[in-house]
Amino acid sequence: MKDKLIETYSPEETFELGRQIGQEAVPGSVFTLIGDLGTGKTVFTQGLAKGLGITEPVNSPTFTILQIYEEGRCPFYHFDVYRIGDISEMDEIGYEDCFYGDGVCLIEWADLIEEILPEHYTEIRISKDLEKGFDYRKIQIKEKLA
Ligand code: ADP
Ligand code: MG
């Protein structure tokens, strides 16, 4: 994917962006999502899941770091590492099978586990700019290569 800057003005637009990216995502891709609480990481994730063909509801897993969806055209590994205490919790979950497997991974709050991110991933940063309205979001997409 090319590096991009997208501006959205509603949750629906952010969902739609996620859906398009999910539709084009190839198995083995890793997406990282970075942004403050309430910026729309989960809204984007729900769109991406839809794009993969998942119809069951996708939410932020509150007490589990990883939620796996098998319903789409490839496995979808949804991580939300907001509450991670120690990086060793990722080993316990068996994250490597997800990062280096044949599904699509998405990691909310990926900046908290930077040291174990794979060599290549797509970073998505979401931020607000209240001067542009309460529902405005700036979404920066960047290919990262070690
Ligand atoms: P996060 O997962 O980053 O904590 P959520 O996706 O759970 O955030 O929540 C984002 C909130 O912001 C939702 O209530 C959503 O309706 C609202 N919102 C308003 N404008 C937008 C927008 N342009 N894109 C995404 N969400 C938006
Ligand atoms: Mg969330």
Side-chain angles (χ1 to χ4, degrees), residues 77-146:
Y77 304 110
H78 178 201
F79 294 81
D80 186 326
V81 300
Y82 183 59
R83 286 181 184 79
I84 200 160
D86 189 276
I87 203 81
S88 66
E89 287 175 44
M90 290 296 284
D91 290 319
E92 285 159 29
I93 290 166
Y95 79 93
E96 284 184 309
D97 292 340
C98 306
F99 283 17
Y100 305 101
D102 57 1
V104 168
C105 286
L106 181 147
I107 310 148
E108 297 192 46
W109 296 100
D111 40 337
L112 299 177
I113 58 153
E114 209 158 52
E115 61 262 53
I116 59 163
L117 290 177
E119 239 174 63
H120 171 230
Y121 59 92
T122 306
E123 179 188 87
I124 299 164
R125 282 183 185 270
I126 311 182
S127 52
K128 295 186 186 180
D129 181 348
L130 289 177
E131 281 179 17
K132 297 192 178 178
F134 191 65
D135 291 345
Y136 170 87
R137 301 292 188 271
K138 182 169 89 179
I139 303 175
Q140 292 163 285
I141 301 178
K142 209 173 186 177
E143 289 301 326
K144 302 286 254 187
L145 269 170

Side-chain angles (χ1 to χ4, degrees), residues 33 36-38 40-43 45 59-61 78 80 82 108-109:
L33 273 181
D36 291 340
L37 209 58
K41 297 182 295 300
T42 297
V43 169
T45 304
N59 290 303
S60 266
H78 178 201
D80 186 326
Y82 183 59
E108 297 192 46
W109 296 100

Side-chain angles (χ1 to χ4, degrees), residues 8-19 43-44 47 135:
T8 69
Y9 294 86
S10 68
E12 291 76 18
E13 277 182 67
T14 299
F15 181 96
E16 177 55 23
L17 174 68
R19 198 189 60 77
V43 169
F44 177 91
D135 291 345

